[in-house]
Amino acid sequence: MSPASLADSCPASSAGPHPLAPYGWDEHWAAAFAPYTGRGLLPGRVVRVARGRCDLVTPAGPVRVGTGRLVPRDPAEAVCTGDWAAVDPDGDPRPVRALLPRRTAFVRSTSSERSEGQVLAANIDHAVVCVPLTGDLPLARIERFLALAWESGARPLVALTEADQVTDPVVLAHLVQDVEAAAPGVPVLPVSSLTGGGLDTLAACLAAGTSVLLGQSGAGKSTLVNALLGERARDVGAVRDADGKGRHTTTSRDLLVLPAGGVLIDTPGLRGVGLWDAGDGVGQVFAEIADLAARCRFHDCAHEREPGCAVLAAVDAGDLPVRRLESYRKLMRENERIAARSDARLRAERRRAWRRRDAEGRAAVAVKRGRPYR
């Protein structure tokens, strides 16, 4: 997709009279907050969560809030940057009384053996996967990010950062094509924070709604944020010469208002991006495999050695790269494994709840009959 057509596909944002309009407040959130209006609570959007601190912006200005009343058993339900909340009008810190239901959420699995999800950003419209052009293209990692992005409900976009490092336009065009092949239906935009190339087009896309920047350390996210803001809002670190990896310069998830409209959530570099209930997202990334699978002889074809497998036939014909099929298999296996572990955890939690209710019921009966309960 050309920069011109890409810009045309991204509508401009519109700001209403509400003081939170620049932060994404609209009729949807006004309706969702209506039950709390009569209780004298204030609406606010979470703009920063770091080290137990949570900052919100409200119609009365920025406030620091306490989240002690909202400590869920599931980490995926914890307060996150991008959330909308109902808070007390007074207090320091002010308690959060409720979180409004999320429209979208970017969730990855934690490194915990408990198979839990972690929300990186909430209520996002665009998920921008940042990939530097200073080394080999990590196509498998791009596919992994995009699977989670599609699953989140946001629209993904790949930003190829540091495009000024590729001086040959023919080479740059080939790199863009390689990423487009791994990201069907996703805009791929080369950008340079140094020269400004592609920034106007990217800013036009981000002007409509809330966006989140995702990528590894050293992907150029902080530099890109500074370029989009037109100021040095984020610290920038150099990439290590020894292994080409970046240093963590961003340590919190911050929501920032962009000059051209829209808001942007910058995230720390991600070392691991585990899938979390992303079966539909994987299917979206590998849409061509799903189309081929519909023509397999067996409806439950595993695309391994089955006769009449249209997927394997496409590989043999050179129409489907072996790398794509292997990446698809890997992500599907990982997602199925996480789903199985998550189901086991939920079953265990239900059993504990049943045992607790049974014990409480027997204790109540014992008390009613005047007998001690052991």
Side-chain angles (χ1 to χ4, degrees):
M1 183 178 294
S2 67
S5 59
L6 180 60
D8 292 339
S9 70
C10 301
S13 64
S14 58
H18 196 279
L20 292 179
Y23 292 88
W25 183 266
D26 55 23
E27 294 180 357
H28 168 88
W29 295 116
F33 187 78
Y36 303 101
T37 303
R39 295 167 54 183
L41 300 178
L42 287 177
R45 191 164 198 190
V46 179
V47 297
R48 180 181 175 90
V49 177
R51 299 184 178 90
R53 188 180 77 182
C54 185
D55 296 331
L56 267 73
V57 60
T58 73
V63 298
R64 181 162 298 177
V65 301
T67 58
R69 295 175 180 267
L70 296 172
V71 181
R73 294 176 60 89
D74 187 349
E77 299 176 1
V79 179
C80 179
T81 303
D83 272 325
W84 287 93
V87 300
D88 278 0
D90 302 303
D92 186 20
R94 306 184 187 191
V96 173
R97 297 300 180 182
L99 292 180
L100 303 189
R102 293 164 176 161
R103 285 199 290 202
T104 61
F106 189 96
V107 186
R108 68 168 177 176
S109 66
T110 65
S111 58
S112 170
E113 292 299 322
R114 297 175 60 189
S115 301
E116 296 172 333
Q118 177 191 21
V119 182
L120 300 183
N123 301 312
I124 53 175
D125 302 290
H126 309 286
V128 183
V129 180
C130 296
V131 181
L133 289 177
T134 52
D136 296 335
L137 288 175
L139 297 179
R141 177 169 284 271
I142 293 173
E143 291 162 345
R144 177 180 292 271
F145 270 107
L146 292 178
L148 291 173
W150 281 120
E151 193 69 36
S152 74
R155 178 185 177 185
L157 182 151
V158 177
L160 300 179
T161 62
E162 303 183 58
D164 53 277
Q165 298 296 312
V166 183
T167 57
D168 189 335
V170 175
V171 174
L172 181 59
H174 283 309
L175 292 173
V176 171
Q177 291 173 1
D178 288 344
V179 176
E180 288 177 337
V186 176
V188 178
L189 179 65
V191 297
S192 170
S193 300
L194 180 64
T195 67
L199 289 182
D200 288 344
T201 303
L202 180 60
C205 289
L206 305 188
T210 300
S211 306
V212 60
L213 290 188
L214 304 160
Q216 289 183 290
S217 298
K221 298 188 302 298
S222 297
T223 305
L224 185 58
V225 169
N226 290 339
L228 290 170
L229 291 175
E231 60 182 89
R232 187 180 176 84
R234 312 297 274 174
D235 291 333
V236 177
V239 173
R240 294 194 297 260
D241 294 332
D243 54 11
K245 295 182 179 180
R247 300 178 175 87
H248 284 285
T249 56
T250 299
T251 58
S252 62
R253 302 181 186 97
D254 294 351
L255 187 146
L256 309 163
V257 178
L258 295 172
V263 291
L264 181 65
I265 299 175
D266 187 20
T267 63
L270 300 174
R271 292 188 179 92
V273 192
L275 297 186
W276 178 257
D277 193 18
D280 292 340
V282 173
Q284 187 82 19
V285 175
F286 298 92
E288 78 276 29
I289 295 180
D291 292 341
L292 290 167
R295 301 200 291 270
C296 290
R297 180 183 300 178
F298 304 107
H299 67 87
D300 58 348
C301 183
H303 320 307
E304 296 287 350
R305 291 178 296 273
E306 296 84 352
C309 176
V311 174
L312 295 179
V315 172
D316 293 338
D319 297 328
L320 177 66
V322 174
R323 188 207 66 79
R324 284 280 285 174
L325 180 56
E326 291 177 346
S327 182
Y328 169 78
R329 287 170 174 166
K330 179 179 180 180
L331 293 181
M332 287 299 292
R333 286 195 300 267
E334 178 182 333
N335 195 66
E336 290 168 359
R337 185 169 61 252
I338 288 293
R341 287 167 52 189
S342 178
D343 289 343
R345 177 175 62 86
L346 292 176
R347 288 194 298 270
E349 289 179 354
R350 284 196 293 268
R351 285 196 296 269
R352 287 194 293 270
W354 290 335
R355 287 196 294 267
R356 184 174 61 254
R357 286 196 294 268
D358 180 64
E360 291 172 351
R362 283 185 283 137
V365 170
V367 170
K368 183 176 181 180
R369 293 178 178 178
R371 296 198 303 266
Y373 172 73
R374 293 183 176 84

